[in-house]
Amino acid sequence: MTAMSDLRSRVDASDMLGRVLAFPDQMARAWEIGAAFVKGEKLPRGPFARVVVCGMGGSAIGGDLARSFLAERATAPLSNHRDYALPVNLTRGALVVVSSYSGNTGETLSAYDAARAAGAAVVAVTSGGELAARCKRDGVPACIIPGGMPPRSAIGFSLFPMLQILRACGAAEFEDSEYEETLAVVRDRCNAYAPAREDNAAIEMARRAHGRTAFVYAAPGLLEGVARRWACQFNENAKVLAHHALFPELNHNEIVGWEASADLMSRAAIFSLEDRDDHPMTRRQVAVGLSIMGPLAAHVERLESPGGGRLARMLSMMLLGDFASVYLAYLNGVDPTPVAKIDRLKKELA
């Protein structure tokens, strides 16, 4: 039995690693659910002035990844909204996609009501709960996805129906072949990062992050949503602080913050997520910025996304962070599934 397999049996009571390993199967099922939904429902059709994805936490990441993947292929600006109030100027002529895995997220239910009151076109993605009930009451199309797992583990169910909804509504364009290529790629990545592969990149990354605070950097574009996902996965799975920021903006402010924080920086690990589609000048900003911050950090790692199409590259990089966060939880001796402080917060807000 490998060291990681031994740690898995001791700390991963709810088998978070199993959920990550099952991502390709979830992705395939999510694609089928999305395809059946858009075929069977009468959805609003564009053109739209904008697309707004409303969600929180793990339910919102699908919107981040959709925006990163689609980029200029979206036919209208796509933004993400993480709050209760939904300003009227965001709803004018908008398609609002409301994403709540549980269906009971207070902020998202508030945004749903605001979108409906403003007359926006609304579509929901949820496993049920109050959101599904309100959609049924109001005649709003709702794509029902399987429930019963932590929202961050349902990223495939959040992302792929949303992509199909955006395409069916005329808000985005992409090819089925991109999904097919990506499915093959993520199966390969999950095999490469499985615990039996002790030499795999995800285990080694977890070891380099162990005992350190992760600073996850990326450029605006394909890996922007992935950088947020990495930080959130480190937070929730490994129970450690992690931070994400974007070049070139961080070179205009955050770079200075490294000057007077020697104790923190001596335990900091920078992970720079980079892609071939990043703007050439941004790539230059990355190189220069890291040359200035790097000597102050305990570890600096530049990670270039692998070959393939945009969707395949984005999800390959996402999976590296997902696996590394679980392996880091093992090294920290913590169960990656429970999120006690979030549960306490929700209980006190209820």
Side-chain angles (χ1 to χ4, degrees):
M1 181 179 286
T2 67
M4 280 297 173
S5 294
D6 182 52
L7 289 170
R8 179 185 186 185
S9 67
R10 287 195 279 123
V11 303
D12 198 354
S14 300
D15 197 21
M16 176 62 76
L17 184 59
R19 296 186 187 280
V20 180
L21 285 164
F23 177 77
D25 293 336
Q26 181 186 127
M27 176 178 164
R29 179 67 179 132
W31 183 262
E32 293 172 357
I33 290 171
F37 175 71
V38 300
K39 184 177 180 180
E41 288 282 342
K42 184 176 181 181
L43 299 174
R45 290 284 302 180
F48 301 104
R50 64 192 57 81
V51 176
V52 183
V53 178
C54 298
M56 302 296 297
S59 300
I61 293 290
D64 293 320
L65 297 179
R67 180 164 56 89
S68 294
F69 164 55
L70 293 171
E72 295 179 0
R73 289 188 289 179
T75 60
L78 198 162
S79 62
N80 300 90
H81 184 75
R82 290 172 162 90
D83 200 0
Y84 292 93
L86 185 62
V88 172
N89 62 359
L90 284 183
T91 61
R92 295 193 188 102
L95 171 65
V96 178
V97 180
V98 182
S99 176
S100 171
Y101 182 65
S102 69
N104 297 316
T105 311
E107 299 94 330
T108 309
L109 290 170
S110 175
Y112 169 86
D113 289 343
R116 287 279 300 153
V122 180
V123 182
V125 179
T126 183
S127 70
E130 178 62 22
L131 179 58
R134 293 188 191 185
C135 287
K136 183 177 181 179
R137 177 197 68 193
D138 299 333
V140 170
C143 181
I144 304 301
I145 55 179
M149 64 185 75
R152 63 191 183 279
S153 299
I155 184 62
F157 291 128
S158 296
L159 173 61
F160 286 98
M162 187 182 302
L163 289 177
Q164 298 223 35
I165 288 166
L166 294 177
R167 183 170 66 176
C169 291
E173 299 174 357
F174 60 91
E175 301 296 329
D176 286 359
S177 59
E178 296 176 85
Y179 156 78
E180 293 160 1
E181 175 204 23
T182 302
L183 183 59
V185 168
V186 299
R187 289 194 191 282
D188 177 72
R189 290 298 85 205
C190 287
N191 288 333
Y193 300 146
R197 300 282 295 273
E198 278 287 352
D199 60 342
N200 76 50
I203 291 175
E204 293 306 314
M205 177 162 294
R207 287 174 174 152
R208 292 190 292 273
H210 188 218
R212 294 167 173 165
T213 299
F215 288 74
V216 188
Y217 293 153
L222 185 66
L223 300 181
E224 178 177 347
V226 174
R228 179 189 285 269
R229 169 75 172 183
W230 273 45
C232 292
Q233 291 291 81
F234 275 45
N235 293 157
E236 294 189 67
N237 288 339
K239 280 58 175 181
V240 296
L241 284 175
H243 167 75
H244 79 280
L246 301 178
F247 288 107
E249 173 63 20
L250 73 89
N251 280 347
H252 292 262
N253 35 63
E254 184 165 318
I255 191 172
V256 183
W258 287 71
E259 291 182 7
S261 307
D263 184 57
L264 172 62
M265 296 304 101
S266 68
R267 302 189 305 276
I270 297 175
F271 298 101
S272 177
L273 312 185
E274 302 171 22
D275 182 74
R276 68 191 188 209
D277 286 345
D278 294 342
H279 192 282
M281 279 306 300
T282 301
R283 293 180 75 89
R284 175 65 175 153
Q285 291 254 9
V286 171
V288 175
L290 291 178
S291 73
I292 296 169
M293 293 180 288
L296 302 172
H299 177 74
V300 178
E301 195 162 342
R302 299 183 67 177
L303 300 157
E304 186 79 17
S305 60
R310 287 179 60 83
L311 188 61
R313 301 199 312 273
M314 180 180 74
L315 292 186
S316 292
M317 194 68 90
M318 182 197 80
L319 282 170
L320 177 58
D322 283 4
F323 276 93
S325 71
V326 175
Y327 291 135
L328 181 57
Y330 293 177
L331 295 175
N332 289 337
V334 297
D335 186 337
T337 298
V339 284
K341 288 181 173 57
I342 295 176
D343 293 340
R344 176 186 169 187
L345 180 141
K346 290 181 177 178
K347 183 177 180 180
E348 293 191 12
L349 289 174

